[in-house]
Amino acid sequence: MMLRGRQFQIPVQIPPVKDHLIVLGIESTSHTFGVGIIELNNHSVRVLANVSSQYKPVKGGIHPSEASQHHVNVAHSVVKKALDDAGVDVKSVNAVAVAVGPGLGPCLRVGATLARFISAYWNKPLVAVNHAVAHIEIGKLVSGMVDPLVVYISGGNTLVAIQRDKKYRVLGETLDIPLGNLLDTFAREVGLAPPYVVSGKHAVDVCAEWSSEFTPLPFTVKGSDLSFSGLLTAALRMARESKGDRALLGKICNSLRETVFNMLIEVTERSLMLTGKKEILLVGGVASNTTLREKFKVLAEFYGCRYYGTPPEIAGDNGLMIAYTGLLSYLYGRTTRPEDLTVKQRFRLDEETYPWLP
Ligand code: FE2
């Protein structure tokens, strides 16, 4: 899905606005430095730009200081490309939004510093955005969903949530490591590097295709919460014993993938039964996984629900979702002074109220 130039109807309540507004959003919470620019006209928004640069560690997981250095290095060119793509001058931007958490401290501070500077130097209103809320809002915008059961899965988050009383309510979440982190860690530990998603496939998906056999692994669902650490330990132990046997490693990957995705389907199904929601919205980096999307499709068909998985261009971290969520906040007057803007590494989804929610 090519988003630049596309127009979307805003699916949430916003105050009436006469003028058209342009908002620039900055994302830097983890491995991605991104800038998005969005334009509001009445009750619809047009995507003007969405430019990203991703830090890819040579070895191991994300080093926060290395990732932040990457962001510092690319910030100038990403901002410039976004403004060029949008065909706007920074002076014509009406507000600057930035993701202030949750995320990695050194990475968050790069985006926050840049946003404070743009806001202070050009005298632009500044808007703080929750990164998790932004993942959900951009999913709602593109899908047109109003009141979905949200499944948010990424390298740093795994949760199921709904909207109630102007807040996001978390029904279930991981009790230890996030789902994306489990897959990345497993892939790295067994030498299936690099574990990045290519065309909706993780390294674990590629490995899973080497076998169609299945072996039971720990399936830990507690109410609507999930636990992945025991599963990771068990899969790693088996992988070490496989001693490079390709078919055996394929069997472990296949079993790991089936177990982990079925755990997620299980908690989604429980939440669906509990809430009676008729829409399922899959967001976050892992939402672009083709195997998982297929499972969600089957689940949604079974319960007669509408299902939408955010496309890869916006499933992962991006500046566009920050610009859009920043726009919603700005419309409700939620701005902050540059000197008051602080980053929140553990900024929870259910911490604050959002006036546009039902
Ligand atoms: Fe994210």
Side-chain angles (χ1 to χ4, degrees):
M1 179 191 263
M2 180 67 199
L3 287 171
R4 199 174 136 214
R6 294 250 335 241
Q7 187 125 353
F8 297 95
Q9 281 292 316
I10 297 180
V12 300
Q13 284 267 328
I14 55 165
V17 200
K18 276 204 214 100
D19 305 322
H20 88 126
L21 294 169
I22 294 174
V23 178
L24 181 145
I26 301 167
E27 158 61 34
S28 74
T29 60
S30 181
H31 46 52
T32 301
F33 183 86
V35 172
I37 303 177
I38 207 154
E39 181 185 44
L40 173 80
N41 286 302
N42 296 317
H43 215 96
S44 68
V45 284
R46 194 156 64 92
V47 178
L48 300 185
N50 189 30
V51 182
S52 302
S53 171
Q54 217 183 62
Y55 153 77
K56 291 187 173 147
V58 184
K59 202 168 170 260
I62 299 173
H63 299 269
S65 61
E66 270 182 26
S68 68
Q69 189 56 51
H70 161 268
H71 297 349
V72 169
N73 294 345
V74 302
H76 167 260
S77 57
V78 172
V79 172
K80 187 176 181 312
K81 170 117 181 32
L83 288 167
D84 288 349
D85 282 2
V88 296
D89 187 82
V90 70
K91 287 182 192 133
S92 53
V93 168
N94 297 94
V96 181
V98 61
V100 293
L104 306 168
C107 298
L108 288 167
R109 282 189 278 276
V110 177
T113 304
L114 177 63
R116 274 191 214 103
F117 168 73
I118 296 173
S119 167
Y121 190 82
W122 280 283
N123 196 24
K124 304 290 178 193
L126 181 61
V127 187
V129 170
N130 179 305
H131 174 89
V133 170
H135 268 297
I136 301 173
E137 294 305 336
I138 198 77
K140 279 159 61 187
L141 175 72
V142 177
S143 66
M145 285 184 176
V146 175
D147 189 21
L149 178 74
V150 177
V151 182
Y152 171 27
I153 32 168
S154 67
N157 295 276
T158 305
L159 57 85
V160 178
I162 54 162
Q163 309 170 143
R164 185 174 292 165
D165 300 332
K166 309 269 172 216
K167 272 189 142 183
Y168 281 105
R169 304 284 166 150
V170 177
L171 299 177
E173 61 191 315
T174 177
L175 299 169
D176 39 51
I177 52 172
L179 195 157
N181 189 280
L182 159 81
L183 296 177
D184 287 355
T185 306
F186 178 82
R188 264 198 313 273
E189 291 287 319
V190 303
L192 290 171
Y196 308 109
V197 176
V198 181
S199 327
K201 277 187 189 177
H202 190 274
V204 170
D205 288 302
V206 176
C207 169
E209 286 167 9
W210 301 344
S211 172
S212 55
E213 284 186 59
F214 178 85
T215 186
L217 286 166
F219 186 101
T220 319
V221 170
K222 298 174 181 175
S224 286
D225 291 327
L226 308 130
S227 165
F228 297 117
S229 56
L231 172 61
L232 175 62
T233 308
L236 281 176
R237 193 185 310 122
M238 286 176 75
R240 281 188 199 109
E241 284 162 10
S242 75
K243 295 193 170 68
D245 181 331
R246 192 178 149 100
L248 197 51
L249 190 58
K251 179 177 167 182
I252 299 162
C253 283
N254 186 35
S255 311
L256 175 67
R257 180 176 72 172
E258 281 301 303
T259 307
V260 77
F261 287 171
N262 287 348
M263 281 168 65
L264 189 68
I265 292 289
E266 172 75 31
V267 296
T268 308
E269 192 173 0
R270 287 183 189 191
S271 298
L272 211 54
M273 302 294 286
L274 179 76
T275 60
K277 297 283 181 209
K278 287 285 161 218
E279 294 175 326
I280 305 171
L281 177 63
L282 190 58
V283 301
V286 186
S288 55
N289 186 290
T290 43
T291 308
L292 185 62
R293 290 167 87 100
E294 203 44 51
K295 283 185 184 285
F296 268 95
K297 226 174 110 192
V298 173
L299 176 76
E301 271 167 22
F302 187 79
Y303 284 98
C305 293
R306 198 182 149 219
Y307 153 76
Y308 188 84
T310 45
E313 197 179 346
I314 45 160
D317 295 350
N318 62 85
L320 183 67
M321 66 184 194
I322 308 302
Y324 172 61
T325 311
L327 168 70
L328 295 178
S329 282
Y330 177 66
L331 291 173
Y332 280 96
R334 298 179 84 172
T335 57
T336 174
R337 294 188 305 173
E339 57 270 37
D340 295 334
L341 185 88
T342 47
V343 300
K344 282 169 111 174
Q345 292 189 59
R346 297 184 186 278
F347 194 177
R348 279 186 62 88
L349 173 68
D350 51 9
E351 216 171 299
E352 290 190 350
T353 55
Y354 297 95
W356 58 84
L357 295 183

